[in-house]
Amino acid sequence: MPENGKHRRSRTTSLTRGIIAVSTGGAALALPLIGATGAFAAPAQPAAVEKAATSTAVSGKGIAAQKSKSTTYSVVLGDTLAKIAREHSVSGGWKALYKDNEKVVGGNPDLIHPGLKITIGAKGGNKSADKAEKAESKASDRAEKSADRADRSERTSTSLAAEGAPAAEAAPAAEPASYTNDLDGWIKESLAVMAEHGIPGTYEGIHRNIIRESAGDPQAINDWDINAINGVPSKGLLQVIDPTFQAYHVPGTSMDSYDPVANITAACNYAADRYGSIDNVFGAY
């Protein structure tokens, strides 16, 4: 991408760079509270049922607290799975770390990028303890559900009689979208960010320009044209110079101009401002 309209077609240089998707920390045992939550107070529960549910819930929470030892690590420039595993003394080395995070890292363990997160110790622990925790959790759930059913039935009947209408149940929360750790996933994630900010562009338009500018290499850099001579070489998938990247950076994306999603969204934001859309770009821009 040019400075003052002076841009030359890029010549890419293949480099090795790691990129990773995000995953959250280890599992946590969530136990619902027993009691009235509606507009009317629920009648008292039988003492035996309430005591059993409370005792089991406390025990289950204790086990969960003891078992929760996972760590979320944010990848920085220069990191590799081997380096992270070594610095955090991961049992089984980088292979174990990759296995725990394979779903978010993708098919290439050498491909991780700064700003994204991996979980350390996600699947560790004693199997016997895990089984005991699961059994304890199931027992807790059964006891609480038994107590909650009677409470919910009473509250529902009271509410219907008072309001004369069926009680509406809350809609389940939508799960966050996940994207593959490759060119297809980067473009789709960028399109989602662009939609949030009203930036026009299509998959075809973005893909066509990426292939021309960098051949899909997020580490591509032009070290020979006028921008490079002026000290601001074009970088990344859509060959954006730093001044343009900073001026058209889209909030919520990485400040690293080599980051695939940040590079694409900034370039599309620039193209929308200058050409109306990245779809209208068919050459050096």
Side-chain angles (χ1 to χ4, degrees):
M1 184 173 295
E3 180 179 35
N4 297 326
K6 297 178 182 180
H7 181 78
R8 297 295 184 271
R9 188 171 183 176
S10 63
R11 180 178 65 197
T12 59
T13 302
S14 297
L15 298 174
T16 301
R17 181 167 183 262
I19 300 178
I20 184 169
V22 181
S23 98
T24 56
L29 178 64
L31 296 173
L33 296 175
I34 301 174
T37 58
F40 300 90
Q45 301 300 312
V49 174
E50 182 175 354
K51 181 177 180 181
T54 302
S55 175
T56 308
V58 171
S59 176
K61 290 179 180 178
I63 292 177
Q66 294 174 6
K67 290 290 293 177
S68 180
K69 297 181 180 179
S70 62
T71 301
T72 299
Y73 176 78
S74 182
V75 176
V76 299
L77 189 64
D79 270 345
T80 64
L81 290 182
K83 179 181 177 182
I84 296 170
R86 183 171 59 254
E87 290 179 351
H88 290 80
S89 302
V90 175
S91 178
W94 72 265
K95 292 183 179 179
L97 185 60
Y98 174 60
K99 183 178 181 181
D100 288 350
N101 293 276
E102 184 175 0
K103 182 175 294 185
V104 294
V105 172
N108 187 351
D110 293 325
L111 205 61
I112 60 176
H113 75 88
L116 295 179
K117 296 176 175 63
I118 61 175
T119 301
I120 299 174
K123 297 182 179 178
N126 184 279
K127 292 184 178 180
S128 297
D130 289 342
K131 291 181 179 179
E133 179 181 341
K134 290 179 180 179
E136 190 75 17
S137 176
K138 289 181 179 179
S140 171
D141 288 344
R142 284 195 297 270
E144 291 186 1
K145 286 178 180 179
S146 176
D148 188 57
R149 275 196 296 269
D151 174 58
R152 186 169 59 250
S153 177
E154 180 67 24
R155 285 187 284 112
T156 300
S157 298
T158 304
S159 297
L160 289 176
E163 300 175 9
E169 295 184 0
E175 294 185 0
S178 59
Y179 303 94
T180 55
N181 196 20
D182 52 21
L183 182 57
D184 178 72
W186 302 331
I187 294 176
K188 289 178 179 177
E189 184 173 356
S190 297
L191 286 169
V193 176
M194 289 163 59
E196 292 178 359
H197 293 271
I199 302 171
T202 64
Y203 185 101
E204 189 280 329
I206 295 173
H207 186 272
R208 167 169 45 81
N209 281 285
I210 285 176
I211 296 304
R212 185 191 65 252
E213 293 291 335
S214 67
D217 179 8
Q219 285 291 298
I221 182 170
N222 185 315
D223 56 6
W224 58 271
D225 70 358
I226 187 62
N227 291 321
I229 294 173
N230 290 336
V232 284
S234 303
K235 302 176 181 178
L237 290 173
L238 281 171
Q239 292 292 279
V240 187
I241 61 175
D242 284 340
T244 301
F245 177 81
Q246 292 164 11
Y248 289 92
H249 172 261
V250 178
T253 63
S254 171
M255 288 302 299
D256 179 5
S257 62
Y258 282 111
D259 179 89
V261 174
N263 189 281
I264 293 172
T265 54
C268 288
N269 197 19
Y270 164 79
D273 184 42
R274 184 165 183 180
Y275 303 102
S277 171
I278 190 70
D279 295 342
N280 298 330
V281 177
F282 292 89
Y285 65 119

